[in-house]
């Protein structure tokens, strides 16, 4: 049985739960981290010495780091679908996953911390504006790419849509004035039609509001 460890309010855990939902594979989900605690439990640290979530256990195989888990699940349980069979299509999916980690995620996560996790009374509007400007420029790159494609790797949904797509529910629900990115918005609307996305990504983040600690 597949088992995912991690709190469901973690965006990195949400990516993994979304991926598993897309495969239709049954899995157990054990909340860990944040208010749930447990990251220092010896049984968990034996699986993941970094004591971070998400962590996936599949029989004797343990995988940590969210994008590595996505690739593992896609390759093993959705080959030809989430995991493109063709090397060209797979390279397109893979490069946008890498781009998200290298260029998009830090600013997306930071903006969330500055506007949601930081208490309202101590928020820095100037820094919020600077980070949002930088993030909007990142999204503009993706928006331009999506002007010629239905999904990030081409004309169908793949693993490549999951890491960048997982940033959008929070982004479109932040208390900020967003720039217009019509292709990004069209793609986001398409993702919202997917039940696993609604189940695992479109979830309330109120428990994180005003909380500056994990």
């Amino acid at each position: 049985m597949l088992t995912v460890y991690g709190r469901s309010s973690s965006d990195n855990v949400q990516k993994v739960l979304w991926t598993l939902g897309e495969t239709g594979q049954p899995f157990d989900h054990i909340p860990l981290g944040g208010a749930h605690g447990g990251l220092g439990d010896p049984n968990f640290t034996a699986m993941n010495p970094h004591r971070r979530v998400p962590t996936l256990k599949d029989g004797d195989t343990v995988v940590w780091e969210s994008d590595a888990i996505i690739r593992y699940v896609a390759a093993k349980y959705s080959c030809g679908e989430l995991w493109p069979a063709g090397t060209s299509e797979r390279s397109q999916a893979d490069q946008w996953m890498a781009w998200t980690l290298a260029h998009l995620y830090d600013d997306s996560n930071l903006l969330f911390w500055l506007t949601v996790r930081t208490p309202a009374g101590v928020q820095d509007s100037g820094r919020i504006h600077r980070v949002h400007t930088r993030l909007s420029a990142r999204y503009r790159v993706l928006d331009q790419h999506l002007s010629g494609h239905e999904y990030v790797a081409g004309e169908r949904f793949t693993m490549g849509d999951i890491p960048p797509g997982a940033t959008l529910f929070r982004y479109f629900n932040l208390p900020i004035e967003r720039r217009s990115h019509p292709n990004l918005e069209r793609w986001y609307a398409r993702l919202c039609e997917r039940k696993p996305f609604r189940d695992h990504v479109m979830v309330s983040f109120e428990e994180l509001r005003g909380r500056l600690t994990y």
Side-chain angles (χ1 to χ4, degrees), residues 32-154:
L32 211 66
H36 303 285
L39 296 181
D41 183 274
N43 291 324
F44 181 70
T45 57
M47 291 190 294
N48 187 339
H50 307 291
R51 299 189 297 177
R52 300 291 297 271
V53 296
T55 298
L56 177 79
K57 192 172 189 300
D58 183 14
D60 294 330
T61 300
V62 174
V63 188
W64 33 263
E65 293 297 329
S66 57
D67 283 10
I69 297 172
I70 291 169
R71 290 183 176 94
Y72 172 84
V73 169
K76 183 171 182 179
Y77 295 105
S78 190
C79 189
E81 296 297 330
L82 291 180
W83 181 268
T87 54
S88 178
E89 185 184 21
R90 189 164 65 249
S91 71
Q92 296 302 303
D94 206 25
Q95 74 179 2
W96 284 102
M97 293 177 69
W99 174 84
T100 299
L101 185 61
H103 300 288
L104 181 66
Y105 180 74
D106 281 352
D107 285 333
S108 173
N109 190 47
L110 179 55
L111 187 62
F112 183 76
W113 275 79
L114 293 174
T115 58
V116 174
R117 300 202 66 162
T118 300
V122 294
Q123 290 182 7
D124 184 337
S125 60
R127 191 179 184 202
I128 290 171
H129 175 75
R130 291 191 297 274
V131 173
H132 185 208
T133 298
R134 194 165 63 228
L135 178 61
S136 187
R138 308 288 194 200
Y139 279 132
R140 185 165 61 250
V141 172
L142 183 54
D143 181 79
Q144 291 169 347
H145 171 71
L146 289 168
S147 68
H149 305 279
E150 294 296 305
Y151 296 94
V152 298

